[in-house]
Amino acid sequence: MKLAIIGTGNMGGAIARGLIASGTWQASDLICTAKSDSGLVRIQSALPGVQASRDNRLAAREADIIILAVKPWFISEVIEEIRPVLDFKRQLIVSVAAGISLQEMALLLAAPEVPALFRAIPNTAVEVQDGVTFICQQNATEEQMTVVEGLFAALGYTVVTDEQHLNAGTALASCGIAFAMRYIRAAMEGGVELGFRPGEAARIVQHTVHGAASLLLQSGMHPEVAIDQVTTAGGITIKGLNAMERSGFTAAVIDGLKASS
């Protein structure tokens, strides 16, 4: 089976690196395209063994699964370019372009019959096989859905949903990566103020956040239960939590999510 990633930039590259690192795909089974010569050099350097090309039509013709990972404003141009070589009975088409609906994709493809189409919204942690990907489909069979879900399951956690929840999923998981990074950065800065060297503060906070998430995932605990386990009456943890809440911590997180969706 061949996989074409049309537009191997930040997200397309993260998907490619994650799939190869997961062992579910061989580099030789991937065809990755770029718009410029510099992009082509970047692919060849970062993804040795993949077939790198500037020819989107060639990549689409040879692939069994086509991931459209270009910026949303390039989708129309790219689809027009590859449409003559597409075989809707054989190929699966997955768009990771934010904001382009399945209906818009179908109109651009102008197929005689509505083809099986997918939208996937991964976050950047797919590169380390610890991402979250939301997937929705139009006119796909159960077998086709299994193939696409299996592809992204190799990159982390998958959520099969309807299209109307993709924006919320983007805010929660894709924007959520940035929100989590901002907490990590703030905690690192706090650690430096408390007396740790920057590098040491960074490692402490990174491991703390990783440990907190792992604890919840492995135990199934609600976060408040885990909080109660480290919060004693009159102790320093509750003082810190209350100080954060007085500064609007929870409200700020919720407001940020709502603003992003």
Side-chain angles (χ1 to χ4, degrees):
M1 185 174 284
K2 288 280 187 181
L3 171 67
I5 300 178
I6 308 293
T8 316
N10 289 336
M11 182 52 69
I15 291 170
R17 288 188 291 273
L19 289 173
I20 294 169
S22 74
T24 56
W25 288 79
Q26 299 297 314
S28 57
D29 293 327
L30 270 63
I31 311 167
C32 297
T33 74
K35 193 175 180 67
S36 64
D37 288 336
S38 60
L40 208 61
V41 171
R42 186 177 63 250
I43 292 171
Q44 292 167 333
S45 174
L47 297 164
V50 305
Q51 182 179 338
S53 175
R54 290 188 62 188
D55 190 337
N56 291 333
R57 186 175 291 194
L58 171 67
R61 183 190 295 117
E62 295 186 4
D64 301 291
I65 303 173
I66 301 166
I67 295 180
L68 300 175
V70 297
K71 299 296 185 184
W73 47 89
F74 289 131
I75 278 285
S76 178
E77 174 188 332
V78 168
I79 287 179
E80 184 176 353
E81 180 184 359
I82 68 174
R83 188 170 53 210
V85 302
L86 296 178
D87 181 351
F88 297 114
K89 293 182 179 179
R90 178 179 67 84
Q91 297 172 311
L92 299 179
I93 300 171
V94 184
S95 169
V96 300
I100 305 297
S101 71
L102 290 168
Q103 184 178 14
E104 289 171 320
M105 287 279 296
L107 289 172
L108 289 170
L109 288 164
E113 299 179 1
V114 179
L117 294 176
F118 299 85
R119 285 184 66 191
I121 305 294
N123 65 17
T124 52
V126 294
E127 182 169 348
V128 292
Q129 303 94 63
D130 204 8
V132 176
T133 303
F134 292 84
I135 305 168
C136 66
Q137 58 82 23
Q138 176 178 285
N139 208 41
T141 65
E142 186 175 337
E143 182 180 2
Q144 290 169 327
M145 187 70 229
T146 298
V147 170
V148 173
E149 187 179 4
L151 187 152
F152 287 100
L155 303 175
Y157 181 64
T158 60
V159 181
V160 176
T161 186
D162 50 58
E163 195 166 22
Q164 69 182 20
H165 283 93
L166 286 188
N167 285 346
T170 300
L172 199 57
S174 298
C175 301
I177 286 280
F179 301 155
M181 295 294 184
R182 182 58 60 89
Y183 166 78
I184 290 170
R185 189 191 75 178
M188 286 165 52
E189 291 174 355
V192 172
E193 188 169 341
L194 291 171
F196 291 102
R197 293 183 182 277
E200 189 175 12
R203 287 188 292 275
I204 290 168
V205 175
Q206 289 160 11
H207 281 287
T208 300
V209 171
H210 182 271
S214 296
L215 183 63
L216 294 179
L217 286 168
Q218 293 181 29
S219 69
M221 280 190 293
H222 189 281
E224 280 303 320
V225 175
I227 289 170
D228 286 344
Q229 290 181 351
V230 295
T231 306
T232 57
I236 59 173
T237 303
I238 192 61
K239 290 177 181 177
L241 287 169
N242 286 342
M244 289 180 185
E245 289 302 335
R246 284 194 297 272
S247 296
F249 181 83
T250 297
V253 171
I254 295 171
D255 286 348
L257 289 167
K258 290 166 69 175
S260 300
S261 64

